[in-house]
Amino acid sequence: MAEAKIPEPSKKIYLYCALMCTGPALACALFSLFFNMFDFSDLLRCAFSPLSLIYAVFYAAIVILTHKWVISKFSSYDGTESSCDALNEIHPIMVGAFITILLLNGICYPFVFASAAVKYNVPHFSVTPLLNASIGSTFLVGLVFYILWLENLEGWLWFLPFSGKHLKMNLLSRFLLINIFSAIGLVMLIIVPLFMSSNDGKPLNEIFKRYMLTTSIIGILLNGAGFMTMVKNLSGRINAVSEFAHKLADGNYTMDPLMVKSREEFGVFVHNLNIFFDTTKKLLDGVKSSVVTTKGAGNALESQMGDTALSVQQIVENIKGIKGLIEEHSSGVVNVSSAMEMISRNIDMLNQNIEVQASAVEQSSAAVREMVANIQSVTNILSKNAAAVAKLGDASEEGNKRVNDAVAMSDKILSESSGLLDASAVIQNIADQTNLLAMNAAIEAAHAGEAGKGFAVVADEIRKLAEQSNAQGRKISESLQSLEEIIKGVSASTKALQTQFAVIFDLTKTVKTQEDVVMNAMNEQNAGSSQIIDAMRSIDDSTISVKQGASEMLTEGKTVGTEIRNLEKTTNSVSEFIEQMLAGTDHIVNLMNSGKEASVKNYDAITMLENMTTKFKLKA
């Protein structure tokens, strides 16, 4: 804890202390002259006698040292709680010490005067009336200056914290003690003439008219002065608190806390009011800062919701584009399937022709011309097959490109859906933070009691908005996760389709290569028909190889046809998935619109809270 800054004591503290200690003696001297206990010359001789002067110096030393000890003790406050508690324990001891000093002086002073009066042979002197006058003056005159001194001293002690645990004497007890002391002092002064020997034998009514009535009036005036001093000080403190509370009611928190200028219930009340002021100011400052932060987050959320809606709309457009590509791809697959069936039929026909060729070669060379004609027929058929195989290759290459595009598009969709999940997580995180803020505000409002009810309502509204935002965020996350699973399924199916298209493309290349080989062989046979007889054995071997190749082509053609039909089924499944994705994205768009509306409502609520807090002035 930082060391407390101790102000210099006011000069009024020293002045009122001096008047408190010397005032009763002067008043007693005046009352003794009024009661004719001394004449003026005898009073001066007794007052300036050696014993009286020694007593006055001794009394002044005690007062000065005690007062200096009190000031130095309170000036040693170091800001720690232990120091605060120790000094607050000293305060009632200091109050009792000065009351004791005043009372002892009121008792001892008459006896010092009595010694001087005996020494100087003062006529008709009696110590009893002087003692009554001294005590009465102490309780009336000394009490007035004591009240002023104590109020100024406690006003200087504003730097020393004062709470309920430090309360030793309440305000009622102070008023009662002052009234009791004033009453005792008044009675002591009134009865002084009754103890004077010079009044023996005089009628009581004469004594009352000459001395007691005047003394009563003076005593009542002094009593009223002491009472009015306390009331005026209390009224000033009440007015200060009232003005402070009025500023708080107007939402003005720019002023400094009140100073604790009394050490009774009112001081505890001011201390607690300062704590309330400081706590409320910090709470309002925190609420204003939180409103600014939440408002910025609301703006960011609204902007992000708009960006997310645009991203979702772009995804919808991309999915629609994928749907169109899939439809085109499906049409291509149907065409490829028809082409593959034609290729299978041609290969089957080729196989039959090769068998006929082999049979003709085995019968005899006489059928060479018929064989050449068959070769020409086969050449024509192969030409047609070559054209069909070329178309199949082009279609397979085009299909492969479109499948690759579909795979890339699926990966892009999957990447953008991950971004949506991140955005949804941000939304839920913002909602959680807003909910936590609302809970903290509600707790602080509960701590504030009645003054925090308004903030509790606002905090509750913020919490509801945060829960709505969180619920919408969870719905969006669930929809996005469902969409991500669908996209992953589409991506996996598209990649499988890509693999199958690669197989088809390779098989098509194999068919084209074999077709080229057969075509070249048949061209060579057609060009060298004159050498056919000489190469019959070679033709027979070649025919066997061609037959085997035709059988393999037939088998592979059937396999390709099966794969094409599977590809057609897969394409139909992908189309169905795309339809489901479109339906899911429509739901996401609706959820995003709902989330945007919720963010707008949240922003409006934050703006309302900001408008409510602007009436509180926290800085000058």
Side-chain angles (χ1 to χ4, degrees):
M1 183 180 294
E3 185 176 353
K5 185 177 180 180
I6 310 300
E8 289 293 328
S10 171
K11 293 181 180 179
K12 289 183 179 182
I13 298 175
Y14 299 101
L15 175 62
Y16 288 130
C17 180
L19 292 175
M20 172 183 66
C21 296
T22 59
L26 294 175
C28 181
L30 293 175
F31 278 119
S32 63
L33 291 175
F34 175 72
F35 291 131
N36 294 322
M37 286 187 286
F38 298 95
D39 57 25
F40 189 70
S41 59
D42 290 337
L43 179 63
L44 290 178
R45 284 194 299 167
C46 292
F48 289 98
S49 67
L51 183 60
S52 297
L53 292 176
I54 293 173
Y55 173 78
V57 171
F58 175 74
Y59 174 63
I62 292 177
V63 171
I64 292 172
L65 291 176
T66 304
H67 197 267
K68 185 177 180 181
W69 173 79
V70 169
I71 297 298
S72 63
K73 201 67 178 177
F74 285 122
S75 297
S76 66
Y77 175 58
D78 57 8
T80 61
E81 185 177 358
S82 59
S83 176
C84 173
D85 293 340
L87 293 177
N88 276 295
E89 289 291 334
I90 290 175
H91 179 267
I93 298 175
M94 175 269 298
V95 171
F98 273 93
I99 291 176
T100 303
I101 290 173
L102 291 176
L103 186 59
L104 289 175
N105 177 63
I107 296 173
C108 296
Y109 182 72
F111 291 99
V112 173
F113 249 64
S115 299
V118 171
K119 179 179 179 181
Y120 294 117
N121 297 317
V122 177
H124 309 293
F125 174 78
S126 176
V127 71
T128 302
L130 184 60
L131 179 62
N132 289 341
S134 177
I135 296 175
S137 299
T138 300
F139 282 161
L140 285 178
V141 178
L143 191 61
V144 173
F145 293 114
Y146 173 81
I147 294 171
L148 294 171
W149 168 79
L150 184 61
E151 287 177 351
N152 280 271
L153 180 66
E154 290 183 346
W156 171 65
L157 291 176
W158 62 265
F159 61 85
L160 182 64
F162 182 73
S163 58
K165 66 179 181 179
H166 303 133
L167 182 62
K168 301 300 181 182
M169 180 177 291
N170 55 36
L171 188 62
L172 179 61
S173 299
R174 286 194 177 191
F175 271 99
L176 288 176
L177 285 176
I178 289 173
N179 288 328
I180 291 173
F181 287 157
S182 298
I184 293 174
L186 181 60
V187 172
M188 295 292 283
L189 282 176
I190 292 173
I191 64 175
V192 167
L194 300 179
F195 294 94
M196 294 176 57
S197 59
S198 60
N199 293 327
D200 290 343
K202 291 182 180 181
L204 184 60
N205 59 348
E206 182 182 347
I207 297 174
F208 177 78
K209 290 178 182 181
R210 184 172 180 179
Y211 300 110
M212 299 176 71
L213 180 60
T214 304
T215 305
S216 300
I217 294 172
I218 295 173
I220 291 172
L221 291 175
L222 291 173
N223 191 0
F227 183 78
M228 288 301 297
T229 301
M230 288 194 66
V231 171
K232 181 180 178 182
N233 183 56
L234 180 61
S235 177
R237 285 181 279 154
I238 292 175
N239 290 334
V241 172
S242 178
E243 182 180 357
F244 186 80
H246 181 70
K247 290 182 179 179
L248 292 182
D250 289 339
N252 184 2
Y253 282 78
T254 60
M255 63 279 194
D256 294 328
L258 289 171
M259 292 184 180
V260 179
K261 294 186 176 182
S262 60
R263 300 274 149 175
E264 17 75 4
E265 298 102 314
F266 204 87
V268 176
F269 169 70
V270 172
H271 173 76
N272 294 334
L273 184 61
N274 286 336
I275 294 175
F276 169 76
F277 166 75
D278 185 60
T279 302
T280 306
K281 185 175 181 179
K282 291 179 180 178
L283 175 62
L284 290 172
D285 193 29
V287 169
K288 280 196 171 183
S289 300
S290 300
V291 165
V292 173
T293 303
T294 308
K295 189 175 182 180
N299 288 330
L301 175 62
E302 184 178 5
S303 176
Q304 290 174 0
M305 291 296 288
D307 295 340
T308 305
L310 292 176
S311 299
V312 171
Q313 189 65 35
Q314 185 64 38
I315 291 173
V316 172
E317 296 298 328
N318 292 336
I319 292 174
K320 289 181 178 179
I322 293 172
K323 182 180 179 183
L325 293 175
I326 291 296
E327 290 176 352
E328 293 179 4
H329 174 71
S330 178
S331 177
V333 169
V334 172
N335 294 332
V336 171
S337 179
S338 300
M340 286 305 302
E341 289 180 358
M342 184 179 294
I343 290 172
S344 296
R345 288 196 298 270
N346 290 334
I347 291 173
D348 187 51
M349 185 180 295
L350 175 62
N351 190 38
Q352 293 174 3
N353 290 332
I354 291 173
E355 289 179 354
V356 172
Q357 178 187 356
S359 177
V361 170
E362 290 176 357
Q363 289 177 0
S364 68
S365 60
V368 170
R369 289 180 182 179
E370 184 179 356
M371 182 185 66
V372 171
N374 290 333
I375 289 172
Q376 290 178 348
S377 177
V378 169
T379 300
N380 293 331
I381 293 172
L382 287 175
S383 297
K384 295 179 180 180
N385 288 345
V389 168
K391 291 181 180 179
L392 175 61
D394 294 337
S396 298
E397 186 174 0
E398 182 66 19
N400 191 31
K401 290 181 179 179
R402 292 183 177 181
V403 168
N404 290 335
D405 292 339
V407 171
M409 190 63 68
S410 299
D411 292 336
K412 183 177 180 182
I413 293 171
L414 185 60
S415 176
E416 291 184 356
S417 65
S418 299
L420 290 175
L421 284 174
D422 293 338
S424 178
V426 171
I427 293 171
Q428 293 186 40
N429 185 42
I430 292 173
D432 291 338
Q433 292 296 325
T434 305
N435 191 20
L436 180 59
L437 174 63
M439 291 176 65
N440 290 334
I443 292 172
E444 292 299 329
H447 289 170
E450 291 295 327
K453 284 187 176 180
F455 297 106
V457 174
V458 174
D460 188 57
E461 290 299 323
I462 293 176
R463 181 182 60 78
K464 290 179 180 178
L465 289 173
E467 290 176 353
Q468 291 176 3
S469 298
N470 198 3
Q472 292 295 333
R474 286 196 296 271
K475 289 182 180 179
I476 291 171
S477 297
E478 292 172 0
S479 298
L480 289 176
Q481 288 174 358
S482 176
L483 175 60
E484 186 180 22
E485 294 299 324
I486 293 172
I487 292 172
K488 287 182 179 178
V490 172
S491 179
S493 298
T494 307
K495 289 180 180 178
L497 178 60
Q498 184 184 26
T499 303
Q500 292 174 356
F501 251 109
V503 174
I504 293 172
F505 189 73
D506 293 336
L507 291 176
T508 303
K509 287 183 177 180
T510 302
V511 171
K512 187 176 182 181
T513 301
Q514 293 176 353
E515 178 68 24
D516 291 337
V517 172
V518 174
M519 189 67 181
N520 291 334
M522 295 304 295
N523 288 332
E524 290 176 359
Q525 287 181 11
N526 188 38
S529 59
S530 61
Q531 301 176 359
I532 290 176
I533 296 175
D534 295 335
M536 283 298 291
R537 188 171 296 170
S538 298
I539 292 173
D540 188 46
D541 294 338
S542 299
T543 302
I544 294 173
S545 298
V546 170
K547 185 178 180 180
Q548 292 177 350
S551 298
E552 292 177 359
M553 287 175 63
L554 181 61
T555 303
E556 294 295 332
K558 291 180 179 179
T559 303
V560 171
T562 302
E563 293 297 330
I564 289 296
R565 286 191 292 273
N566 292 335
L567 177 60
E568 186 176 2
K569 292 180 181 179
T570 303
T571 302
N572 292 332
S573 299
V574 170
S575 182
E576 292 177 359
F577 285 142
I578 292 297
E579 292 292 341
Q580 294 178 3
M581 289 172 62
L582 284 174
T585 53
D586 289 339
H587 183 60
I588 291 173
V589 170
N590 293 332
L591 290 177
M592 293 304 299
N593 291 331
S594 299
K596 188 173 182 179
E597 292 176 0
S599 66
V600 171
K601 292 180 180 179
N602 184 31
Y603 180 80
D604 293 340
I606 293 170
T607 303
M608 185 183 297
L609 177 60
E610 184 180 28
N611 293 333
M612 293 173 63
T613 56
T614 51
K615 71 175 184 178
F616 294 100
K617 299 178 182 178
L618 302 180
K619 296 180 180 179

